[in-house]
Amino acid sequence: MIVDERIVTFINSLDTKNSELLEKIESEARAADVPIIRREMQSFLKVLLMLKKPVQILEVGTAVGFSALLMSENVPEGCRITTIENYEKRIPVARENFRRAEKENQITLLEGDAAEVLKTLDGPYDFIFMDAAKGQYIHYLPDVLRLLPPGGCLVSDNVMQDGDVIESRFAVERRNRTIHARMREYLYELKHKDNLVTSIIPLGDGVAVSIKQERI
């Protein structure tokens, strides 16, 4: 928890519910210990989508399809969503959830390692949601930026690693040090690339919002 728990509880207490199906999918995911985006992140994502009004969305990390469905309910008619997932046990669950929501024609699920799948895509995607293995974000970035047009928005979730990212590498458990180093490198890249304007926000487990501009 990187934000005072009482503040998060208060903010979430003001929130309104999602659609009945999304509420059910969220409950099922939590019961199965499947990580999905936090309530405060859900609201933030809705606002970004309503501001951006994307036509093509790319999501890296489908899980059980919750965030893809959340996005599908908050975009203009005709918006297409492409989502990538590598975990075999979650793929059929996501496909079933898309069927339950009658969104199979709007949401395309691509199976496989995102590092390989991204190389096969042409884009452009005017909104990209990064919510996969945190240690891989830095490896996905070159292709993600290739697929993002000027004016496009990249949203990277869970960039604070429950606060570990601000710690010295020696204060982080040895098994987490590679992820720690890669996430710090990723955040540095987002803030220092000439063609990106990035804000890192202490919301949920940390979110980075980047807008691509023409290279100076």
Side-chain angles (χ1 to χ4, degrees), residues 51-149:
L51 287 170
K52 179 60 181 171
K53 298 180 174 58
V55 175
Q56 293 283 348
I57 294 175
L58 175 64
E59 177 185 50
V60 185
T62 313
V64 295
F66 177 84
S67 51
L69 288 171
L70 180 80
M71 291 190 287
S72 75
E73 293 184 359
N74 293 278
V75 292
E77 185 176 353
C79 175
R80 302 279 303 175
I81 300 172
T82 300
T83 182
I84 305 170
E85 180 57 51
N86 192 39
Y87 190 24
E88 292 180 359
K89 290 185 178 180
R90 290 178 183 163
I91 289 170
V93 180
R95 291 196 185 280
E96 174 60 15
N97 286 335
F98 297 154
R99 186 202 63 77
R100 291 163 72 186
E102 299 182 346
K103 298 286 182 133
E104 307 107 302
N105 293 329
Q106 182 182 11
I107 303 172
T108 300
L109 197 165
L110 302 179
E111 302 180 24
D113 183 345
E116 299 303 319
V117 174
L118 287 168
K119 296 182 188 308
T120 70
L121 301 178
D122 294 323
Y125 298 94
D126 49 343
F127 193 97
I128 299 180
F129 183 46
M130 188 92 82
D131 189 23
K134 295 187 287 292
Q136 300 304 314
Y137 284 16
I138 188 65
H139 300 312
Y140 300 154
L141 188 58
D143 277 308
V144 164
L145 293 182
R146 174 181 62 84
L147 295 167
L148 193 70

